[in-house]
Amino acid sequence: MISLLSYTAMVVFSPLAYPGYDWMSMAVSDLSAEGAPSEVLASQLNALFGPCGLVSIMAVCVGVVGCKSKVLKLGIYFFATMEWVCNVGYHLFPWVKDAPASNPQNFMHLAVTVLVVVLSLASLVLVAIGARKEQIKSLSIWAIVCLSAMMIGPIGTALLPKAVFGLFERLSTFSAVVFNAVLGIYLLKGRF
């Protein structure tokens, strides 16, 4: 939950330090980009997102060891891998403000994003299937809801005007952050 709250605070309050930032059309990465006016504030507000998210998902990995469903375990492990790639990759390759996508650092940022998306989609599909087998139907529903939100994001950004890019990008990013919080709650409730 702390990870979710930290990320939410960064997304909501960092624009206050970025004159002209339009959340409807601009990416979340723009808030923490190298050279962005909000870079320091975004980093401060987001400080607990990565560490708390990693602690939570690693605890979930330990919690699912006893589950019978190998598919559920694999989904959780893929999700944990995504969290690590996200945390390490975006720290190594933050977006560079006002640089083209062909800039080596921005190119690597996009490569990390592709890997994060692929791991997220695979993990959510596996968890949706595995949770049903493990008789945790509500977790399967959460996985499907988050998967749907994650899919609506790229579809919306591809089909709709750039003026709403930020809105649909947030659907994708928040779906993974929310799902990590959901997994943590299920662990605390002893569902694994």
Side-chain angles (χ1 to χ4, degrees), residues 6-169:
S6 179
Y7 186 78
T8 303
M10 186 271 295
V11 170
V12 171
F13 296 113
S14 294
L16 299 174
Y18 194 129
Y21 182 83
D22 177 22
W23 71 272
M24 286 286 288
S25 65
M26 296 174 74
V28 173
S29 295
D30 291 333
L31 294 169
S32 58
E34 284 186 1
S38 57
E39 178 183 8
V40 172
L41 179 60
S43 178
Q44 291 168 333
L45 293 172
N46 210 27
L48 295 174
F49 164 66
C52 292
L54 290 174
V55 167
S56 177
I57 193 62
M58 295 314 294
V60 171
C61 285
V62 172
V64 298
V65 167
C67 290
K68 295 174 191 162
S69 172
K70 291 180 182 178
V71 175
L72 176 60
K73 288 184 206 178
L74 187 61
I76 297 294
Y77 299 154
F78 273 26
F79 197 82
T81 303
M82 179 278 299
E83 289 284 349
W84 278 98
V85 168
C86 180
N87 195 298
V88 174
Y90 290 137
H91 276 92
L92 287 174
F93 307 108
W95 189 258
V96 179
K97 184 182 179 304
D98 298 328
S102 60
N103 172 294
Q105 189 160 313
N106 287 353
F107 178 80
M108 289 304 297
H109 183 90
L110 293 172
V112 167
T113 300
V114 168
L115 188 54
V116 164
V117 169
V118 169
L119 286 167
S120 296
L121 294 174
S123 67
L124 290 170
V125 168
L126 291 170
V127 170
I129 295 166
R132 284 232 183 250
K133 290 182 178 180
E134 195 70 27
Q135 301 300 316
I136 312 173
K137 291 179 183 173
S138 59
L139 180 60
S140 181
I141 292 168
W142 271 108
I144 292 167
V145 167
C146 289
L147 178 64
S148 299
M150 193 170 286
M151 295 300 294
I152 290 170
I155 291 168
T157 58
L159 299 178
L160 297 171
K162 293 206 182 275
V164 292
F165 168 83
L167 175 66
F168 284 94
E169 187 233 11

